Amino acid sequence: MTTEKKKPILAINHLVKYFGEREILKDIDFEVGQGNVISVIGASGSGKSTMLRCINLLEMPTSGDIIFEGKNVLDTSNNIALYRTKVGMVFQSFNLFTNMTVLQNCMVSPVTVLKRSREEARQTAMKYLEKVGMAQYINARPDQLSGGQKQRVAIARALAIKPQILLFDEPTSALDPQMVGEVLEVMRELAEEGLTMIIVTHEMAFARDVSTRVIYMADGVIVEDGTPQEVFGSPKHERTKEFLARFTQNT
Amino acid sequence: MTADMPTTFFGWVVFIINQYGGALLQGAGVTLLLAIVGTLIGCAIGLFVGIVQTVPITERTNTGLKILNRAVQFVLAAYVEIFRGTPMIVQAMVVYYGSMAVFNIDMSAMLAGFLVVSVNTGAYMAETVRGGIISIDKGQTEAAMAIGMNHFQTMYTVVLPQALRNIMPQIGNNLIINIKDTSVLNVISVTELYFASKSAAGVYYRYFEVFFVTCVIYFIMTFAASRILRYFERRMAGSADYQLVGDPMADPSGIFPNGTKMGGK
């Protein structure tokens, strides 16, 4: 692929996904290197979210391979739950557990899945809640928080299992404009610290400024894949140009 | 019996309470016992059936499990349909007399009563629990899976606590229905409130007065049950308020348990 020198930690090979008769993803190929921050852009319905959901197997790919740390995660022998603790996910609609407080949200997986002690889990959870600026709110319940606060807690919850890669599925799309900034700020920090991230987003400025690589998708295929300078500055394909032109017009 | 017989309605009511108050209260006790135990066991059955009915089967599930699942689902569906689809009064007759005739088990009327109420409630609760589980936003399950939880962990820590909170009103409904409907067990001579009332009424042929008292007792029981359940519901909804924590790292005991420091009502 383009600029990685390091060995990829995740490789997607010939990924195909059908929903019934409809082919949503057509032969997707790409690799993710350690520390890559990849923004996936494209129109709604282009398959971006489906691709992301296939990566952590919330959707089962129809065919293709997903190689993580040298092993195909689609092998029937693979422990999916264990794999998912290494590939975290942040959702558009936050999906914080409504029956738990903020702190419990961030502790539940380390305690029940990773079998950490409560004290250790609490320390880790507090560390990440501090990082996203939500440490004061540990006793609050999700429905008492604003959208931006919920999403920051959701990011802390995902970080608390210490994933190798963190997937973001349109993390700011459900937020009021004034709350988008606080979430993007947290993500920018994570990027600077070298966390490997794949971000499906409509925030073009963020994609341009923060990511190390931008993928443009349309109709279930990767049309363009390159550095932000390449994709935004001098897109090779007609469709990318059209998409970016329409985007700059609209905003 | 030399005392004058009462002549007015309220005179009779007082007379009956004096004469049969103890027997009626005892009957009420049996009714409550049947209703509460039946509802609890019914809920346990319903929870189990509801959970099994919502076990996800994906393309990755192996064939043996798929076949086993099919068989289990068939049995559970049959159970729910049969016990929801026949009257409890008939089930009582079939279980009580049938256990003797077919299996040669001499079951006490009380035991048959517990059995019928529990199994009947279980059939309704199974559907309620299933409804409660599928009403929980799919995002909750996905988020749980995305942080590595398996189906059991997701159910236990995320879905069921929320589903239970949502179906509390329905559990209350079932308890109230059971308090009333255990009266049908009089056909197999369970000495619950209705049976006790019928016996008392038969002595002086004062049906109206006796059943007026019975009515009041039933209402007191159902009303108390609904208020108590409402209280639990409110408690499960959790505190309406929360406290900001100044420096949580400095005070590790201040976070768990969140008893005294939590505000709200």
Side-chain angles (χ1 to χ4, degrees), chain A residues 53 60 74-75 80-81 84 91 95-100 103 109 112-113 122-123 126 136-138 140 144 157, chain B residues 60 139-140 142-149 153 157-158 161-162 239-240 242 244-245 248-249 252 255-256:
Chain A
R53 291 166 59 83
M60 274 295 158
L74 292 171
D75 282 348
I80 292 182
R84 287 196 181 119
F91 298 86
N95 298 344
L96 292 180
F97 304 132
T98 58
N99 58 321
M100 301 177 197
L103 182 62
S109 179
T112 58
V113 179
R122 202 188 68 83
Q123 299 284 353
M126 287 311 304
Q136 281 196 307
Y137 295 88
I138 50 178
Q144 295 164 331
R157 175 177 70 180
Chain B
R60 277 172 73 102
Q140 296 281 310
E142 287 189 347
M145 293 199 304
I147 51 177
M149 291 194 205
Q153 290 163 336
T157 59
V158 176
Q162 296 181 33
S239 157
Y242 63 92
L244 289 181
V245 179
M249 297 311 266
I255 297 156
F256 281 119

Side-chain angles (χ1 to χ4, degrees), chain B residues 2-221:
Chain B
T2 52
D4 296 293
M5 284 318 219
T7 49
T8 61
F9 171 74
F10 285 108
W12 272 109
V13 167
V14 172
F15 178 79
I16 280 155
I17 291 173
N18 283 334
Q19 290 286 86
Y20 294 102
L24 292 182
L25 282 184
Q26 217 162 21
V30 173
T31 291
L32 268 188
L33 186 67
L34 278 166
I36 292 172
V37 172
T39 306
L40 285 177
I41 299 179
C43 282
I45 297 174
L47 214 53
F48 172 77
V49 175
I51 291 170
V52 173
Q53 284 185 329
T54 47
V55 166
I57 296 295
T58 65
E59 49 262 56
R60 277 172 73 102
T61 316
N62 75 45
T63 340
L65 273 180
K66 271 183 190 160
I67 293 168
L68 177 68
N69 181 62
R70 272 281 183 80
V72 172
Q73 300 297 2
F74 177 80
V75 172
L76 294 184
Y79 158 64
V80 170
E81 294 301 339
I82 289 170
F83 279 88
R84 273 199 319 176
T86 54
M88 194 154 86
I89 192 166
V90 177
Q91 290 165 14
M93 297 296 259
V94 170
V95 168
Y96 184 56
Y97 294 107
S99 61
M100 191 59 176
V102 181
F103 302 107
N104 219 13
I105 303 169
D106 189 10
M107 200 184 280
S108 74
M110 200 60 188
L111 181 62
F114 279 122
L115 200 66
V116 168
V117 177
S118 307
V119 169
N120 199 284
T121 308
Y124 280 95
M125 283 305 299
E127 285 298 287
T128 305
V129 170
R130 199 171 65 86
I133 290 173
I134 57 182
S135 74
I136 302 303
D137 179 22
K138 206 164 143 261
Q140 296 281 310
T141 316
E142 287 189 347
M145 293 199 304
I147 51 177
M149 291 194 205
N150 60 32
H151 176 68
F152 178 76
Q153 290 163 336
T154 304
M155 276 289 164
Y156 183 71
T157 59
V158 176
V159 176
L160 285 180
Q162 296 181 33
L164 271 180
R165 196 173 63 196
N166 290 353
I167 65 175
M168 269 306 275
Q170 196 53 42
I171 293 176
N173 246 346
N174 263 307
L175 178 60
I176 285 165
I177 287 171
N178 280 343
I179 289 174
K180 296 184 299 174
D181 282 7
T182 45
S183 58
V184 304
L185 295 174
N186 81 87
V187 296
I188 55 169
S189 306
V190 175
T191 52
E192 40 66 54
L193 181 54
Y194 179 85
F195 189 89
S197 309
K198 215 170 59 169
S199 312
V203 179
Y204 296 101
Y205 294 103
R206 304 309 299 192
Y207 284 91
F208 175 47
E209 289 82 355
V210 170
F211 279 98
F212 175 76
V213 175
T214 307
C215 212
V216 171
I217 300 176
Y218 269 120
F219 181 74
I220 291 171
M221 290 196 291

Side-chain angles (χ1 to χ4, degrees), chain A residues 51-124:
Chain A
M51 181 188 76
L52 205 66
R53 291 166 59 83
C54 279
I55 291 177
N56 77 346
L57 307 181
L58 284 177
E59 302 290 351
M60 274 295 158
T62 309
S63 65
D65 296 324
I66 298 173
I67 313 292
F68 178 74
E69 292 179 326
K71 273 172 63 185
N72 188 355
V73 299
L74 292 171
D75 282 348
T76 40
S77 61
N78 178 54
N79 181 341
I80 292 182
L82 187 69
Y83 162 67
R84 287 196 181 119
T85 62
K86 295 173 185 166
V87 181
M89 175 105 168
V90 173
F91 298 86
Q92 178 177 352
S93 49
F94 331 123
N95 298 344
L96 292 180
F97 304 132
T98 58
N99 58 321
M100 301 177 197
T101 63
V102 164
L103 182 62
Q104 287 165 340
N105 262 283
C106 299
M107 284 176 62
V108 62
S109 179
V111 171
T112 58
V113 179
L114 302 175
K115 309 290 179 208
R116 302 258 186 278
S117 73
R118 295 193 71 82
E119 189 45 40
E120 192 189 339
R122 202 188 68 83
Q123 299 284 353
T124 313

Side-chain angles (χ1 to χ4, degrees), chain A:
Chain A
M1 295 253 104
T2 43
T3 50
E4 288 90 68
K5 281 166 237 135
K6 293 170 201 154
K7 193 168 166 280
I9 55 173
L10 181 76
I12 313 290
N13 298 329
H14 305 295
L15 183 71
V16 174
K17 175 65 183 176
Y18 278 87
F19 283 132
E21 296 288 296
R22 285 181 54 215
E23 191 177 26
I24 304 297
L25 297 176
K26 305 165 186 165
D27 200 24
I28 299 285
D29 270 298
F30 73 102
E31 289 181 344
V32 182
Q34 185 74 47
N36 281 184
V37 177
I38 302 177
S39 288
V40 183
I41 58 172
S44 299
S46 57
K48 314 182 294 291
S49 287
T50 304
M51 181 188 76
L52 205 66
R53 291 166 59 83
C54 279
I55 291 177
N56 77 346
L57 307 181
L58 284 177
E59 302 290 351
M60 274 295 158
T62 309
S63 65
D65 296 324
I66 298 173
I67 313 292
F68 178 74
E69 292 179 326
K71 273 172 63 185
N72 188 355
V73 299
L74 292 171
D75 282 348
T76 40
S77 61
N78 178 54
N79 181 341
I80 292 182
L82 187 69
Y83 162 67
R84 287 196 181 119
T85 62
K86 295 173 185 166
V87 181
M89 175 105 168
V90 173
F91 298 86
Q92 178 177 352
S93 49
F94 331 123
N95 298 344
L96 292 180
F97 304 132
T98 58
N99 58 321
M100 301 177 197
T101 63
V102 164
L103 182 62
Q104 287 165 340
N105 262 283
C106 299
M107 284 176 62
V108 62
S109 179
V111 171
T112 58
V113 179
L114 302 175
K115 309 290 179 208
R116 302 258 186 278
S117 73
R118 295 193 71 82
E119 189 45 40
E120 192 189 339
R122 202 188 68 83
Q123 299 284 353
T124 313
M126 287 311 304
K127 184 177 122 195
Y128 290 113
L129 283 167
E130 201 108 331
K131 183 191 280 294
V132 300
M134 289 298 292
Q136 281 196 307
Y137 295 88
I138 50 178
N139 288 332
R141 290 182 180 275
D143 55 12
Q144 295 164 331
L145 302 177
S146 73
Q149 291 175 325
K150 281 186 211 177
Q151 194 60 298
R152 285 187 281 147
V153 173
I155 292 172
R157 175 177 70 180
L159 290 171
I161 56 172
K162 300 182 179 162
Q164 314 263 334
I165 305 178
L166 194 46
L167 312 175
F168 291 81
D169 189 5
E170 302 194 23
T172 57
S173 297
L175 297 178
D176 291 340
Q178 66 265 36
M179 292 172 184
V180 170
E182 66 189 54
V183 172
L184 292 182
E185 196 42 52
V186 168
M187 291 167 63
R188 183 191 301 268
E189 257 174 59
L190 294 174
E192 279 162 9
E193 287 167 19
L195 180 69
T196 309
M197 308 199 285
I198 306 176
I199 305 159
V200 169
T201 187
H202 294 290
E203 297 290 332
M204 294 303 155
F206 180 83
R208 191 184 54 219
D209 300 341
V210 177
S211 38
T212 56
R213 209 170 112 200
V214 175
I215 289 176
Y216 168 65
M217 279 182 74
D219 297 326
V221 294
I222 293 180
V223 176
E224 192 123 358
D225 180 350
T227 64
Q229 292 77 14
E230 288 167 352
V231 175
F232 288 103
S234 50
K236 293 188 203 72
H237 294 82
E238 217 32 60
R239 307 182 68 174
T240 319
K241 283 177 197 160
E242 274 171 36
F243 174 76
L244 291 173
R246 207 166 43 229
F247 175 78
T248 37
Q249 262 169 27
N250 289 350
T251 48

